[in-house]
Structure formats: structure tokens, C-alpha cells
Amino acid sequence: MIRYGAAAASLLAAVLSIFVARGTANAVPRVPTSDNEIVESLPSVAGWSREERRLRRELVQRPRDEGTALEAAKTYLDLARSQGDARYAGYAMGVLQAWQPLTATTPNRILVMHATVAQFLHDFDGSERTLKLALAADPSNAQGWLTLATILRVRGRYADSDAACRSLVKLRQNLYAVACLAENAGLRGDHRGAQESLQSLLDSPPLKDPRQNATRQWLLTTVAEINELAGRAPAADTAYRQALGAERAGYDVLAYSDFLLSQNRPAEVLPLLKSEPRSDAVLLRIVMATQRLGEQKKLTASQRATAQSDVDELAARFDAAALRPGSTVLHAREHAMFALDVQKDAHRALELARLNVQLQREPIDLLVFARAAATANDDAARAEVKALMQQIGLRDARVDAVL
């Protein structure tokens, strides 16, 4: 899960939090018989239809109007995040196609927005190329540097990410620079130093203002994740609760759900996810929590039937996603978790986890890889995980405990 703090919304286009694209429930593709046939309708979102019609009208009249295109792309991307549905991100990308091919003369804000959408869709290579194009043209674009730092971090390139973070110092974006560098330090194992840096930001007088709750939510989530890396579960729990109390965000809900599952507290996961859109990532955690409760004999007959229906739906989504060319790797993390924790197929999970770390190398990716290797009792895979951890410089007490 890739994250920006919600606090960065004034600096960034918005907070990034990855939800894997929802597949259709039917694994068999259907070809429309005419251009007028409706293949599928996107979910209705309250208050959105009128705004969408307005933006579409304006884009038809002025397809290369920068302000309108950015507003439309951001609105679609916000919907993709909030609904956990990457089809909206596809609409956002479509809005920006009027500027293809992208060049150094393309408006800088269009380049950065294009890169942000590409990152959401896991096109990290394309996003990085576009950001470097934008930053070469305008080195003062703080949003571009922070987005680039995040992409490099996700790929396990911490030194390169540090360099991008330091560019924020030159632009006097000190809060974001400190938080950016602290997160990288925490990943490398400097848990104490990272937490002290983040706590100094949280203790600063400006962040006591209730209007800065989004900033506090972002920083507290980072504190929680660093405590998880250090193996300090009680401290992580406290920080997650504080983050959610400051401002609820989809990324935090999923991260805390994973934490609760790791602590064998599945009963707390279901109410946490109750109001979330049923994206693949959300449905997966519901299925995992429900299965744990079933193993503990804490489900009624009706709940067991619902649980099986959820498992079938999620399996169908993964099957449908596999039919789309090149999409298997985009879903590999959640699919690996499904294979490992729900289907109990450690060898399939290991195959998917290995595929996933070719694309992204966040702590959760290495943890899933390590758990699959250990469950499959594959010594070669264990060695592979250790070598990759050493290569990128990641230190994670949870992985150490598994291996």
C-alpha cells in the first residue's frame, strides 16, 4: 500500500493510498454486440453525477484547458481512491491524453498529475520517467519531488529516495522533507531516530491546531509503521488509534486491519471495515478476518454462508483480473495473501509473492514473501528474502521473526 499523508493535500494533488483494481465478478469476458450496448455501469457516487456532467461538457469544449483537465483528473483520482475502484483512475488518465505525447514542453502540472495517476495504477517506471521530465523542466515543483521520493522508496531505492527528500529542504518544505527522510531512516532500522524526528514535528505548536488533524494523521501513521518494523506492537497499536482518531483515511484502515490480523484480533477488523467500499483490498481483509473467526468457532450458520459467498466473490475477481493482459503482477500482493491465508496454498502464494516484489518492495511485500517462504518450508526462498532485504537495506523485526 502506497501512502502519502492527507496533510500533504495542499502540497500534493491528494494523498495516495493503493487499492488494487476491482475485477468483475464474472471471469468470462463479454464482447458488446454494438457501440450502444452498456457493458457495465460504475457505482453511483452521491453528488458526483452532476459534477461529472459539468466537467465532461467543459472538456468537450476545451479538451486542452489545463485547469479543467486537472480538476477532472483529480476528481476521478479521488473517486478511485475513495471507492477502491481503479476504473476511475483510468478515466483520469483518459482526461490527460490530450497532451500525448508527453514532452518537456507539456505543462508541468499535467506531467505531475499524469505521473500521480500512473503511480496509482502501479506503472512505477512510467511515473518515474514522467516525474523526471517534469522536474528537469521545473526543479521547484515540490509535489513532483515528494511523489518521486515515494516511488523510489516503494521500489526499495532508499538512497535515491533520500536525494529526492533533500530536494524538499532546498524548497523550504521542511515538514515534508523531515517526514520523508524519517520514513526512510525507519525502513533502514533507525527506528529511534526516525520516531524522534516525527515526534518533534507532532510536538510543534502549529500541529496542535485542529485544522492540522490531517497532518497529524499522516505523521502518526508513519510512527505506527515504524513501531511495527521495530517489533513494538503496543506502541504501534496506540499510534494507529491516534491516527484514526485524528482523521480517518482508507490507507490507515487497511494498515490497521493488517496489524490487528497479525495480532490475532480478527473480531476488531470487521467493524473497522464495515463502512469501507468493498474494494479487493477491503474484501480480502474481511475474508481473512471472517475465516479466523470461523476457525475460532465464533460464526453463526448465516455468517458462515456469507463468509463463503465473500470468498467466492474474491476468487472470481482474481480470476477476472488474470484475464486482463499484464494485470497479474498488479494484483500479486493481495492475490498472494489470498492464496496464503484463505486458500492455504503456500506454493501458489510464494509464486505470487515472488512476482510481486519484482514490482514493489514495501515492508508488507517482503513480509508476505517471507511468510509464504516459511509456510512452504522453502529454504531457497527464505535465502532469497534475506538477500533482497540486505540488498535494499530494509530492517523489519516481523520478517526476522518469520524467517
Side-chain angles (χ1 to χ4, degrees):
M1 291 174 282
I2 303 169
R3 161 184 58 76
Y4 284 116
S10 60
L11 174 63
L12 304 172
V15 179
L16 284 180
S17 43
I18 287 192
F19 295 97
V20 179
R22 287 184 61 176
T24 56
N26 184 359
V28 180
R30 178 166 63 87
V31 179
T33 57
S34 75
D35 291 340
N36 294 325
E37 182 179 351
I38 297 175
V39 177
E40 185 174 5
S41 297
L42 288 172
S44 176
V45 180
W48 162 239
S49 296
R50 181 180 299 176
E51 180 68 6
E52 180 187 30
R53 288 194 297 271
R54 179 186 69 80
L55 288 170
R56 283 187 174 183
R57 283 195 303 269
E58 292 185 12
L59 286 169
V60 167
Q61 295 169 2
R62 301 183 300 277
R64 287 176 65 88
D65 180 83
E66 183 179 343
T68 302
L70 287 169
E71 181 185 1
K74 182 182 182 300
T75 303
Y76 278 129
L77 190 55
D78 287 345
L79 279 170
R81 297 189 194 106
S82 65
Q83 299 299 308
D85 194 332
R87 290 173 294 182
Y88 289 114
Y91 280 179
M93 193 64 82
V95 165
L96 303 173
Q97 291 307 299
W99 280 271
Q100 289 290 351
L102 302 176
T103 69
T105 61
T106 301
N108 213 258
R109 292 192 301 166
I110 294 293
L111 289 173
V112 175
M113 178 58 76
H114 193 284
T116 303
V117 179
Q119 182 185 8
F120 183 93
L121 295 170
H122 287 195
D123 179 12
F124 299 126
D125 290 338
S127 182
E128 182 179 344
R129 285 193 302 271
T130 303
L131 285 169
K132 288 181 175 178
L133 186 66
L135 292 167
D138 180 11
S140 68
N141 193 316
Q143 178 183 340
W145 286 115
L146 187 54
T147 307
L148 180 60
T150 301
I151 292 172
L152 295 169
R153 180 185 303 123
V154 168
R155 306 305 293 274
R157 294 160 55 188
Y158 300 154
D160 292 338
S161 181
D162 283 343
C165 296
R166 292 191 184 99
S167 294
L168 293 166
V169 177
K170 300 174 185 176
L171 300 176
R172 299 184 180 180
Q173 297 290 344
N174 291 338
L175 185 151
Y176 301 103
V178 169
C180 186
L181 289 166
E183 186 165 358
N184 288 348
L187 291 166
R188 290 190 179 97
D190 183 10
H191 304 129
R192 180 177 179 179
Q195 188 156 349
E196 287 177 351
S197 294
L198 293 166
Q199 194 61 50
S200 70
L201 295 175
L202 287 163
D203 290 341
S204 62
L207 289 189
K208 303 298 184 182
D209 189 324
R211 290 174 295 183
Q212 296 299 320
N213 279 349
T215 305
R216 296 187 63 82
Q217 171 264 324
W218 168 39
L219 297 175
L220 285 164
T221 301
T222 306
V223 169
E225 292 175 328
I226 290 171
N227 277 307
E228 281 200 89
L229 292 172
R232 298 192 289 256
D237 194 353
T238 298
Y240 273 128
R241 289 179 178 275
Q242 290 174 337
L244 288 167
E247 184 163 302
R248 186 182 177 99
Y251 175 92
D252 296 353
V253 170
L254 286 175
Y256 190 42
S257 295
D258 286 341
F259 172 79
L260 292 172
L261 288 168
S262 74
Q263 299 300 304
N264 198 28
R265 294 158 59 185
E268 297 175 55
V269 173
L270 298 181
L272 184 65
L273 297 176
K274 185 176 180 180
S275 61
E276 296 296 311
R278 281 168 63 94
S279 65
D280 289 354
V282 169
L283 183 56
L284 172 63
R285 274 71 178 186
I286 291 173
V287 165
M288 291 168 63
T290 306
Q291 180 162 308
R292 295 273 187 90
L293 291 170
E295 292 167 353
Q296 298 170 7
K297 302 187 185 303
K298 295 180 180 179
L299 294 180
T300 65
S302 174
Q303 289 173 324
R304 286 196 298 272
T306 300
Q308 185 57 53
S309 176
D310 286 343
V311 170
D312 293 342
E313 179 183 349
L314 190 55
R317 290 187 188 186
F318 286 129
D319 287 344
L323 295 174
R324 297 193 289 272
S327 68
T328 299
V329 68
L330 303 183
H331 298 258
R333 176 197 291 167
E334 272 71 21
H335 201 171
M337 295 169 68
F338 181 66
L340 182 62
D341 293 311
V342 180
Q343 297 178 316
K344 309 300 183 184
D345 186 345
H347 294 287
R348 176 59 174 157
L350 182 56
E351 176 186 353
L352 289 162
R354 182 179 284 115
L355 179 65
N356 178 55
V357 295
Q358 295 176 17
L359 178 68
Q360 53 189 353
R361 295 171 177 180
E362 294 187 90
I364 187 175
D365 302 305
L366 275 297
L367 180 58
V368 172
F369 193 8
R371 291 181 57 233
T375 305
N377 197 24
D378 189 323
D379 289 337
R382 287 191 182 97
E384 193 177 343
V385 176
K386 291 178 181 178
L388 185 55
M389 295 276 289
Q390 184 174 11
Q391 174 191 328
I392 66 178
L394 176 63
R395 300 288 298 276
D396 190 337
R398 300 168 301 174
V399 173
D400 294 340
V402 168
L403 297 178

